[in-house]
């Protein structure tokens, strides 16, 4: 047992520390709350543009995409999430070219590493910041990114950029 | 100087290569005595076993030890190959460096090397009925060997060791871990205070902890094995998933290692960005530490305050990297994208926002008499034990060991910023707590110096589409939120690494729980676990 | 001021008007029992809602706001959920004791609940050793907790129950002594007279320093007695997952849950009865006008208002402080509260003997 003054001092300083804590929590009690009311706040909810929600293959208004079915994304995917199905068809000049027939993407096994987007020579794919992907069965996460009847855009809208580790902006 | 000293004690049959760092190959028979000399000779004083990696070189199995001296600050690598591939045996050095204890068990688990005289040769991560040793190159990964087993894995109360008797015979010996009549309680694998799926078996005597045994591996994903079949850019995605609270720092280490091997010079801007992100990550991690510790000790409101403030950091990280937890931001040669133009403003706002909140933290928790008495003098880790067990990071610094990699061997732009390495000498839970809180302030200081001075320029250099590392072994470490995170990589010049080992800062942390919690109360075990602040996916790689 | 004896007597006469006396009394028993249980459940639901809201506000959150306006229906929804949940049959438990334990806990708290004077003339049990009876029955609850811990055949539960036993036995001492201090001051153990005595000044004002100390000690010990944070060691969720009620499910768990909140209410009610005048309005001697205005506020409001304030303070403790360790908990009692209490009792005796109070 410590000496008496120590005992009393310890008791009082301990009590003071407790009261300090209570004062602070009471101040917080009356402060503005930080709760986000989802889904009511959908309109005001801001998701960072770069957030990786799902992979898409953007199509233009003529139902054309940029994918040349080269398969680099498929090769780079560490989790075998992407499967490109293509067939060889002659183009206008008569040359045989690979044409995309199906762009399969499994959102359920995607680890959002972005390698596919970073390595795509055509900038054909990108990530969207959408995030409401909850479904009841896993099968629904198998997606086909190319639309029905879509075809390769005649001329790339953007010049193909060399492989820089660019973001998905 | 170092070369001469080592050569003077070099045992017979050992070879010495003067790379940087020096690499020594030692035959297994002399390894134990040589290890002792390395540690005890005053001029060498290799007291810190930074990383112990199991290796399968194809023709032989063995280990690679990275040794450092905390006094002289020099480092060497030692390779020890077991003689017989079918029955590999190596002497254990757990009595020289305590950190060898769990690491050797890991090597046994994955490579099947028997460590002679190691007191506990159970598997560390895998089930006891696992067939084969998965990190061996000739391992059959087919489903037939190890199908998904539906029955539960019995936990034996005894362990075994391989000991050399006086005639030089190796014998298997059984040791009892828990007696029949001991009151053994499972803390975990599903328990609110283990911060993940970690399991302690605790022998209790009333409220007191008598003995504690750690069981890891509940979420082991075999990331090191996976890396062997992934290309270097693909590998990057996995480091974020080790210690998810220092995702950026882990990836930084891997990128540094690859860049060093390739000889890539990262642009100045990228270095600044990486450093800023490292520190933001550290802040978010320490805030989470604070919250989780408060919750463990029963202060539930404080938990939310920490998370409220961490949210601001995560928002910043998300805006620039696109991820809150898994950031995917570092790439070989720089960072994946330039910073969001708003980031600097956000950081400055945060620099103003956080300090008053930290003051509140002190009012609510640090100063609180209950919290203080729960942490002070509890779980004292001495400096020697911290070094021997390899407890780095804030926990090591709380024991008086200045082990900050940012100071020891600066990377990024840590050599250009001013910050204090927080070192406390008490070694108790409260010191571990204080170190982290003070580090928060230091991180803010670093951000303050960097935010305005990010130089213009590229944020990345062009990387080749196919990355091939030149043949050799590489090690690079960074200061992650919980300690030294290192990447040891061996390459044979191919697209894929030959072997990757992640030196996780959290494995040493759990290895000291037994030491710290013994003869303390159950509540202290929770406080000790909380202040050590381990993250389970980092233990189970 | 409205006197509830008018209502109770009217009911009594009404029943006697067409029933024989014995049956009428029996009917009254049943009626009172039903009212008591309904009140018990209602108060528990309100408290659960209040706790969730208050806790949320301390934590920068809004709390329940989905079921009903401001989430008011949340606890009712929870109650329905709890009622229809399965009572999981657990192997290797001592089935009889396991099923008995929640009832022991809830009976103890209902008995204590019956002693509380809610308003003028609204009290079920009132006799000369009322406060003594209250302490006695409320400590039966500990038996239930020990039984729950023992019969669950779960190591966490057992440790929780043992902690609970050590804790309750220790803190009962403080509760008893601080109540004794006030009994010395009031000179009676009958709850109704205790309240009547505070007509011209609550005890906490009239008894000044010793009463104030007794109040604080009572609050601390009462919090410990109800196993609430920072004294929630028996169910320390980060150590023992849920302590003694780890294995309970459905309504059996619900009983523990209800009893915990009701015990908090009982502690708050006793505190307001002993120290804050119970249902007695705030009177200041000499201020006739002021006193008359105060009298217009119904006594029920006074009582529940005071209890609410005390409950808020207890919740405030819980949502601010970290949990104590078992040895600290016992040290707090035996090294600080007990000596303080004994000294305070002495002080109170001095105050009473020399008439130093107001």
């Amino acid at each position: 047992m410590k000496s008496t003054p120590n005992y009393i001092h310890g008791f009082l300083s301990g009590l003071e520390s407790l009261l300090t804590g209570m004062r602070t929590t009471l101040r917080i009690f009356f402060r503005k709350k930080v709760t986000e009311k989802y889904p009511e706040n959908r309109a005001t909810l801001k998701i960072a543009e770069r957030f990786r929600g799902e992979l898409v293959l953007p199509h233009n208004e003529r139902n054309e995409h940029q994918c040349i079915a080269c398969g680099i994304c498929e090769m780079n995917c560490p989790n075998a999430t992407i499967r490109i199905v293509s067939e060889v068809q002659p183009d206008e000049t008569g040359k045989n070219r690979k044409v995309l027939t199906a762009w399969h993407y499994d959102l359920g096994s995607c680890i959002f590493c972005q390698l596919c987007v970073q390595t795509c020579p055509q900038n054909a794919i990108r990530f969207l910041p959408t995030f409401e992907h909850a479904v009841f069965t896993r099968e629904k996460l198998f997606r086909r990114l190319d639309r029905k009847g879509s075809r390769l855009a005649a001329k790339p809208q953007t010049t193909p950029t060399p492989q820089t580790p660019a973001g998905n902006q | 100087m170092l070369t001469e000293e080592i050569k003077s004690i070099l045992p017979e049959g050992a070879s010495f290569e003067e790379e940087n760092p020096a690499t020594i190959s030692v035959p297994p028979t002399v390894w134990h005595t040589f290890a002792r000399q390395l540690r005890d000779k005053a001029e060498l004083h290799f007291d810190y076993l930074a990383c112990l990696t199991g290796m399968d070189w194809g023709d032989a199995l063995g280990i690679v030890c990275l040794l450092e001296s905390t006094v002289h600050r020099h480092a060497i690598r030692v390779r020890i190959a077991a003689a017989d591939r079918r029955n590999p045996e190596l002497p254990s050095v757990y009595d020289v460096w305590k950190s060898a204890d769990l690491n050797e068990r890991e090597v046994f688990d994955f490579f099947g090397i028997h460590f002679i005289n190691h007191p506990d040769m159970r598997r560390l991560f895998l089930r006891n009925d696992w067939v084969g040793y998965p990190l061996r190159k000739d391992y059959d990964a087919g489903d037939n060997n190890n199908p998904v087993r539906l029955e539960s894995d019995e936990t034996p109360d005894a362990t075994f060791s391989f000991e050399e008797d006086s005639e030089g015979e190796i014998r298997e010996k059984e040791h009892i871990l828990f007696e029949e009549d001991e009151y053994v309680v499972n803390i975990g694998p599903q328990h609110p205070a283990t911060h993940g799926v970690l399991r302690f078996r605790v022998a209790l005597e009333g409220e007191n902890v008598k003995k504690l045994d750690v069981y890891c591996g509940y979420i082991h994903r075999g990331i090191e094995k996976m890396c062997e079949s992934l290309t270097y850019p693909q590998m990057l995605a996995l480091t974020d998933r080790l210690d998810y609270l220092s995702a950026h720092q882990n990836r930084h280490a891997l990128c540094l290692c690859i860049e060093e091997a390739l000889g890539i010079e990262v642009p100045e801007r990228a270095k600044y960005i990486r450093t800023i992100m490292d520190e933001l990550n550290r802040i978010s991690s320490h805030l989470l530490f604070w919250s989780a510790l408060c919750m463990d000790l029963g202060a539930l409101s404080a938990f939310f305050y920490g998370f409220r403030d961490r949210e601001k950091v995560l928002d910043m990280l998300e805006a620039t990297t696109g991820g809150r937890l898994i950031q995917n931001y570092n790439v070989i040669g720089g960072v994946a994208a330039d910073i969001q133009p708003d980031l600097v403003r956000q950081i400055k706002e945060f620099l103003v926002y956080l300090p008053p909140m930290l003051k509140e933290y002190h009012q609510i928790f640090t100063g609180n008499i209950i919290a203080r008495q729960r942490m002070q003098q509890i779980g004292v880790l001495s400096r020697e034990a911290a070094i021997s067990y390899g407890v780095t990071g804030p926990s090591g610094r709380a024991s008086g060991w200045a082990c900050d990699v940012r100071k020891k061997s600066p990377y990024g732009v840590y050599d250009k910023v001013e910050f204090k390495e927080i070192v406390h000498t008490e070694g108790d839970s409260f010191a571990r707590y204080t170190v982290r809180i003070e580090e928060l302030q230091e991180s803010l200081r670093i951000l303050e110096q960097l935010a305005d001075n990010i130089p213009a320029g590229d944020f990345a250099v062009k990387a080749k589409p196919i990355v091939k590392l030149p043949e050799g072994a590489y090690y690079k470490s960074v200061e992650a939120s919980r300690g030294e995170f290192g990447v040891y990589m061996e390459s044979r010049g191919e697209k894929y690494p030959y072997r990757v080992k992640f030196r996780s800062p959290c494995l040493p942390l759990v290895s000291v729980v037994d030491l710290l919690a013994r003869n303390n109360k159950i509540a202290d075990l929770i406080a000790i676990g909380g202040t050590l602040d381990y993250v389970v996916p980092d233990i189970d790689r | 001021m409205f006197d509830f004896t008018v209502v109770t007597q009217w009911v009594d006469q009404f029943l006697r008007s067409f029933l024989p006396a014995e049956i009428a009394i029996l009917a009254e028993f049943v009626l009172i029992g039903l009212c008591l249980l309904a009140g018990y459940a209602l108060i528990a639901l309100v408290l659960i809602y209040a706790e969730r809201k208050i806790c949320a506000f301390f934590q920068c959150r809004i709390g329940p706001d989905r079921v009903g306006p401001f989430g008011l229906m949340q606890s009712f929804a929870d109650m329905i959920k709890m009622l229809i949940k399965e009572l999981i049959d657990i192997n290797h438990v001592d089935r009889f004791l396991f099923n008995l334990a929640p009832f022991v806990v809830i009976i103890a708290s209902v008995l204590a609940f019956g002693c509380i004077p809610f308003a003028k003339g609204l009290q079920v049990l009132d006799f000369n050793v009322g406060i003594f009876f209250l302490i006695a029955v409320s400590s039966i609850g500990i038996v239930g907790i020990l039984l729950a811990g023992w019969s669950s055949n779960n190591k966490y539960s057992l440790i929780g129950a043992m902690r609970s036993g050590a804790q309750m036995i220790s803190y009962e001492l403080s509760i008893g002594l601080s109540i004794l201090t006030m009994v010395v001051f009031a000179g009676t153990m009958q709850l109704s007279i205790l309240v009547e005595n505070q007509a011209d000044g609550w005890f906490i004002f009239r008894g000044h320093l010793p009463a104030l100390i007794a109040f604080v000690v009572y609050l601390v010990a009462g919090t410990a007695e109800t196993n609430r944070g920072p004294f929630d060691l028996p169910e320390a969720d980060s150590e023992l997952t849920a302590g003694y009620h780890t294995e309970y499910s459905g309504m059996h768990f619900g009983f523990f849950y209800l009893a915990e909140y009701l015990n908090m209410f009982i502690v708050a009610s006793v505190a307001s009865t002993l120290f804050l005048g119970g249902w007695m309005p705030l009177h200041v001697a000499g201020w006739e006008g002021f006193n008359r205005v105060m009298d217009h506020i119904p006594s029920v409001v006074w009582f529940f208002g005071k209890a609410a304030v005390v409950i808020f303070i207890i919740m405030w403790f819980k949502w601010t402080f970290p949990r104590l360790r078992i040895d600290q908990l016992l040290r707090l009692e035996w090294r600080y509260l007990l000596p303080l209490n004994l000294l305070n009792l002495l002080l109170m005796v001095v105050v009473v003997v020399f008439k130093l109070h107001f």
Side-chain angles (χ1 to χ4, degrees):
Chain A
M1 192 107 171
K2 282 172 260 165
S3 58
T4 322
N6 249 349
Y7 169 86
I8 292 170
H9 177 77
F11 183 71
L12 291 180
S13 67
L15 201 66
E16 193 203 330
S17 78
L18 296 180
L19 292 177
T20 318
M22 286 179 69
R23 206 186 60 216
T24 311
T25 43
L26 192 66
R27 259 207 325 263
I28 292 167
F29 188 86
F30 294 109
R31 220 178 264 168
K32 205 172 156 277
K33 307 297 166 222
V34 294
T35 307
E36 295 267 350
K37 285 198 177 183
Y38 179 80
E40 289 93 329
N41 67 351
R42 270 207 186 111
T44 53
L45 193 65
K46 256 182 71 188
I47 295 291
E49 256 171 65
R50 295 185 187 183
F51 178 75
R52 298 177 291 273
E54 63 175 325
L55 192 66
V56 289
L57 182 70
H59 288 64
N60 63 11
E61 61 284 358
R62 293 190 300 277
N63 201 17
E64 289 170 343
H65 55 75
Q66 298 284 319
C67 182
I68 53 168
C70 64
I72 289 180
C73 49
E74 188 179 355
M75 239 164 55
N76 269 296
C77 181
N79 227 12
T81 298
I82 299 168
R83 197 161 55 84
I84 307 280
V85 185
S86 61
E87 56 187 32
V88 179
Q89 281 177 3
D91 65 354
E92 305 91 61
T93 56
K95 253 196 221 159
N96 276 346
R97 278 187 190 276
K98 258 189 184 174
V99 174
L100 181 76
T101 49
W103 215 109
H104 293 288
Y105 168 60
D106 175 12
L107 182 60
S109 72
C110 180
I111 62 169
F112 305 97
C113 69
Q114 246 177 323
L115 272 178
C116 50
V117 175
Q118 282 168 5
T119 53
C120 180
Q122 289 284 103
N123 282 344
I125 42 177
R126 55 179 296 224
F127 273 105
L128 283 188
T130 49
F131 62 95
E132 288 164 328
H133 298 310
V135 287
F136 282 104
T137 55
R138 237 181 246 188
E139 285 69 40
K140 288 186 184 151
L141 293 172
F142 293 113
R143 298 195 174 168
R144 221 179 123 168
L145 298 191
D146 58 319
R147 294 199 195 133
K148 211 169 176 196
S150 66
R151 51 192 290 269
L152 181 65
K155 170 163 80 170
Q157 289 158 325
T158 48
T159 46
T161 46
Q163 284 166 12
T164 49
N168 55 330
Q169 323 125 29
Chain B
M1 154 74 199
L2 174 67
T3 317
E4 277 95 73
E5 289 296 340
I6 292 176
K7 276 187 175 158
S8 71
I9 58 161
L10 208 60
E12 212 171 298
S15 66
F16 182 82
E17 288 165 62
E18 227 174 302
E19 299 166 44
N20 188 29
T23 307
I24 308 164
S25 299
V26 186
T29 43
V30 291
W31 165 227
H32 190 264
T33 37
F34 183 56
R36 244 179 215 292
Q37 281 173 320
L38 283 177
R39 189 193 65 180
D40 294 339
K41 201 160 187 222
E43 292 81 16
L44 293 172
H45 201 82
F46 284 107
D47 48 358
Y48 169 40
L49 173 64
C51 179
L52 192 151
T53 311
M55 283 298 306
D56 180 357
W57 286 294
D59 47 346
L61 295 164
I63 54 170
V64 176
C65 296
L66 309 185
L67 298 173
E68 273 176 42
S69 165
T70 56
V71 180
H72 308 298
R73 303 253 162 192
H74 48 222
I76 50 164
R77 285 179 199 162
V78 188
R79 293 156 165 266
I80 309 100
D84 185 2
R85 197 186 156 89
R86 264 162 311 170
N87 184 23
E89 279 168 351
L90 288 179
S92 167
V93 286
Y94 90 99
D95 51 341
V96 183
W97 300 285
K98 282 281 191 292
S99 61
D101 188 352
L102 286 191
N103 276 305
E104 286 180 345
R105 272 179 70 188
E106 184 186 332
V107 174
F108 167 70
D109 198 352
F110 292 152
F111 291 91
I113 300 175
H114 293 175
F115 286 89
I116 310 302
N117 295 336
H118 189 289
D120 183 2
M121 269 284 110
R122 278 172 300 162
R123 285 190 180 260
L124 181 63
F125 293 122
L126 299 176
R127 286 168 63 110
N128 290 322
D129 51 6
W130 191 274
V131 180
Y133 301 99
L135 255 71
R136 284 193 187 181
K137 290 287 172 187
D138 54 5
Y139 172 70
D140 172 17
D143 285 343
N144 305 333
N145 266 345
N146 292 296
V148 177
R149 292 182 214 277
L150 299 177
E151 74 281 15
S152 64
D153 191 17
E154 284 293 318
T155 312
D157 278 337
T159 177
F160 55 93
S161 65
F162 299 96
E163 279 173 31
E164 198 173 358
D165 61 12
S166 47
E167 283 115 54
E169 282 296 294
I170 309 291
R171 272 173 216 287
E172 198 176 315
K173 240 173 119 179
E174 206 189 54
H175 305 272
I176 302 293
L177 288 170
F178 294 107
E179 301 284 349
E180 193 88 341
D181 56 348
E182 268 175 322
Y183 194 76
V184 181
V185 173
N186 274 313
I187 307 277
Q190 303 294 340
H191 189 278
T194 52
H195 297 204
V197 230
L198 181 68
R199 174 177 172 210
F200 297 122
R201 284 181 86 203
V202 188
L204 292 178
E205 208 167 61
E207 283 271 342
N208 290 331
V209 174
K210 241 167 75 185
K211 208 185 295 173
L212 184 145
D213 197 22
V214 184
Y215 293 81
C216 319
Y218 284 88
I219 49 165
H220 199 281
R221 296 146 292 172
I223 284 185
E224 288 171 10
K225 178 79 180 170
M226 282 160 78
C227 284
E228 288 175 15
S229 54
L230 292 178
T231 65
Y232 292 98
Q234 285 178 338
M235 249 168 72
L236 292 178
L238 297 179
T239 44
D240 287 16
R241 288 155 172 88
L242 291 170
D243 174 358
Y244 43 76
L245 296 175
S246 16
H248 190 83
Q249 294 142 338
N250 294 352
R251 195 152 152 140
H252 197 165
L254 184 57
C255 286
L256 282 176
C257 191
I258 297 172
E259 282 153 10
E260 193 191 60
L262 291 172
I264 294 177
E265 186 55 42
V266 177
E268 199 68 0
R269 184 175 176 83
K271 281 188 182 169
Y272 270 77
I273 297 174
R274 281 179 174 185
T275 312
I276 288 175
M277 290 295 162
D278 272 5
E279 288 313 309
L280 282 177
N281 224 303
R282 197 182 313 281
I283 291 174
S284 99
S285 166
H286 284 354
L287 285 176
L288 186 119
F289 153 79
W290 187 80
S291 313
L293 175 71
C294 293
M295 187 183 64
D296 282 349
L297 297 189
L300 288 158
S301 293
F303 176 75
F304 284 88
Y305 305 153
F307 267 79
R308 174 194 66 198
D309 301 338
R310 180 169 175 261
E311 195 64 19
K312 306 225 180 260
V313 188
L314 292 186
D315 282 344
M316 280 190 262
L317 288 171
E318 189 188 15
T320 287
T321 68
R324 298 169 83 78
L325 208 58
I326 307 295
Q327 284 141 13
N328 270 332
Y329 191 51
N330 280 319
V331 291
I332 299 166
V335 290
D338 207 352
I339 51 168
Q340 198 75 3
D342 221 16
L343 182 73
V344 173
R345 188 187 56 82
Q346 284 175 326
I347 289 178
K348 282 188 188 154
E349 273 176 20
F350 184 71
L351 289 176
V352 180
Y353 169 82
L354 194 63
M357 294 299 141
L358 287 179
K359 216 179 125 199
E360 276 186 4
Y361 291 2
H362 291 311
Q363 286 168 349
I364 292 167
F365 197 72
T366 318
N368 189 300
I369 176 92
I370 304 172
R372 270 176 185 266
Q373 291 196 348
R374 288 284 306 268
M375 294 192 285
Q376 275 168 343
Q377 308 297 321
I378 296 301
V380 180
L381 180 70
S382 67
R383 185 174 186 274
E384 289 68 38
I387 295 171
S388 180
Y389 277 96
V391 175
T392 52
S395 305
R397 289 194 281 282
S399 300
W401 178 21
C403 55
D404 197 327
V405 185
R406 294 175 292 175
K407 288 279 186 199
K408 217 162 61 175
S409 47
Y411 54 94
V413 286
Y414 284 115
D415 46 350
K416 292 184 188 145
V417 288
E418 245 180 72
F419 69 99
K420 219 170 82 203
E421 181 174 1
I422 310 287
V423 177
H424 282 245
T425 49
E426 297 86 1
D428 57 359
S429 295
F430 192 66
R432 288 192 281 274
Y433 169 82
T434 333
V435 165
R436 286 193 170 85
I437 293 289
E438 284 171 24
E439 272 188 9
L440 270 175
Q441 271 147 350
E442 290 305 310
S443 292
L444 289 180
R445 243 179 92 193
I446 295 175
L447 286 178
E448 205 171 351
Q449 294 169 54
L450 291 179
D452 270 329
N453 300 321
I454 307 173
D458 288 337
F459 56 83
V461 290
K462 239 187 196 175
K464 283 189 208 124
I466 292 169
V467 183
K468 280 185 183 171
L469 255 58
E471 202 171 326
Y474 310 95
Y475 180 75
K476 200 77 197 166
S477 66
V478 298
E479 183 71 15
S481 310
R482 274 157 200 77
E484 180 175 344
F485 179 86
V487 180
Y488 178 79
M489 214 186 278
E490 280 204 14
S491 165
R492 299 214 158 163
E494 288 161 13
K495 251 167 72 179
Y496 310 104
Y498 186 72
R499 164 92 171 103
V500 184
K501 155 92 181 176
F502 296 112
R503 190 248 178 231
S504 89
C506 295
L507 190 65
L509 292 179
V510 290
S511 70
V512 293
V513 174
D514 178 38
L515 179 80
L516 300 188
R518 244 174 222 225
N519 301 323
N520 280 323
K521 305 252 175 320
I522 309 172
D524 294 334
L525 168 66
I526 308 302
I528 289 165
T531 52
L532 284 173
D533 189 25
Y534 40 73
V535 163
V536 180
D538 192 39
I539 304 165
D540 299 350
R541 290 164 311 259
Chain C
M1 177 155 271
F2 181 72
D3 193 338
F4 276 91
T5 40
V6 179
V7 181
T8 48
Q9 265 158 17
W10 180 81
V11 173
D12 184 46
Q13 265 147 28
F14 172 71
L15 286 174
R16 276 168 199 272
S17 63
F18 61 90
L19 287 172
E22 294 81 21
I23 310 271
I25 286 183
L26 200 66
E28 276 167 28
F29 280 170
V30 172
L31 262 180
I32 290 170
L34 284 177
C35 290
L36 210 57
L37 285 180
Y40 187 91
L42 195 71
I43 288 174
L45 290 181
V46 171
L47 278 179
I48 290 169
Y49 174 76
E51 165 110 316
R52 294 181 66 175
K53 269 295 190 202
I54 287 174
C55 139
F57 271 62
F58 274 124
Q59 297 172 344
C60 304
R61 301 185 285 121
I62 306 177
D65 70 333
R66 295 289 147 138
V67 191
F70 305 106
L72 272 167
M73 292 290 119
Q74 182 72 52
S75 7
F76 288 95
D78 281 347
M79 182 190 70
I80 293 167
K81 177 199 75 174
M82 199 74 94
L83 282 171
I84 59 177
K85 265 177 104 169
E86 185 192 355
L87 289 174
I88 297 169
D89 206 16
I90 296 162
N91 290 333
H92 310 299
V93 297
D94 188 328
R95 193 144 295 136
F96 173 67
L97 295 182
F98 185 76
N99 292 330
L100 180 69
F103 290 98
V104 174
V105 171
I106 204 114
I107 286 170
S109 90
V110 174
L111 277 174
F113 186 67
C115 301
I116 296 166
F118 294 100
K120 196 172 187 181
L122 194 65
Q123 186 178 8
V124 182
L125 286 172
D126 185 28
F127 51 100
N128 54 0
V129 288
I131 197 85
F132 186 67
F133 175 75
L134 203 144
I135 299 175
V137 290
S138 65
S139 57
I140 296 175
I142 170 70
V143 177
I145 288 177
L146 280 173
L147 279 185
W150 169 254
S151 63
S152 290
N153 193 17
N154 176 321
K155 289 171 182 175
Y156 290 136
S157 302
L158 187 57
I159 297 171
M162 288 303 156
R163 282 181 176 184
S164 180
Q167 176 176 336
M168 295 246 192
I169 287 167
S170 307
Y171 279 84
E172 212 122 86
L173 218 63
S174 270
I175 290 220
L177 278 172
S178 53
I179 288 179
L180 189 62
T181 312
M182 294 323 286
V183 169
V184 167
F185 184 65
T188 175
M189 278 185 168
Q190 189 163 359
L191 285 159
S192 55
I193 300 178
L194 263 169
V195 177
E196 295 290 349
N197 280 357
Q198 302 185 62
D200 29 301
W202 302 349
F203 282 163
I204 196 163
F205 301 130
R206 283 175 55 203
H208 52 88
L209 187 66
L212 197 67
I213 293 175
F215 181 62
V216 173
V217 170
Y218 180 81
L219 268 190
V220 173
T223 315
E225 183 77 0
T226 48
N227 290 336
R228 286 182 58 82
F231 306 104
D232 54 350
L233 288 98
E235 46 196 292
D237 48 341
S238 59
E239 297 159 28
L240 306 176
T241 57
Y244 58 86
H245 56 62
T246 305
E247 298 287 0
Y248 283 90
S249 54
M251 205 50 217
H252 279 171
F253 166 73
F255 282 157
F256 285 114
Y257 196 52
L258 283 183
E260 184 192 325
Y261 281 93
L262 244 291
N263 284 339
M264 178 167 71
F265 177 75
I266 290 163
V267 164
S269 319
V270 172
S272 46
T273 306
L274 279 180
F275 300 95
L276 306 176
W279 47 263
M280 196 55 82
L282 179 63
H283 285 170
V284 182
W287 295 13
E288 286 307 320
F290 177 79
N291 290 352
R292 198 139 332 123
V293 173
M294 288 292 141
D295 280 342
H296 278 290
I297 302 173
S299 55
V300 189
V301 175
W302 276 109
F303 177 78
F304 281 100
K306 287 168 191 174
V309 170
V310 178
I311 285 170
F312 180 80
I313 294 174
I314 293 177
M315 286 182 180
W316 189 6
F317 285 154
K318 169 154 183 170
W319 300 112
T320 304
F321 300 140
R323 185 181 304 120
L324 278 89
R325 204 172 55 208
I326 181 78
D327 57 325
Q328 294 166 351
L329 178 98
L330 297 180
R331 195 159 15 145
L332 173 69
E333 165 64 23
W334 296 99
R335 263 181 68 181
Y336 294 99
L337 292 188
L338 186 64
L340 184 69
N341 236 329
L342 288 170
L343 279 178
N344 192 39
L345 182 60
L346 195 68
L347 189 66
M348 184 57 102
V349 172
V350 172
V351 165
V352 172
V353 168
F354 294 99
K355 299 237 175 344
L356 297 173
H357 55 83
F358 302 116

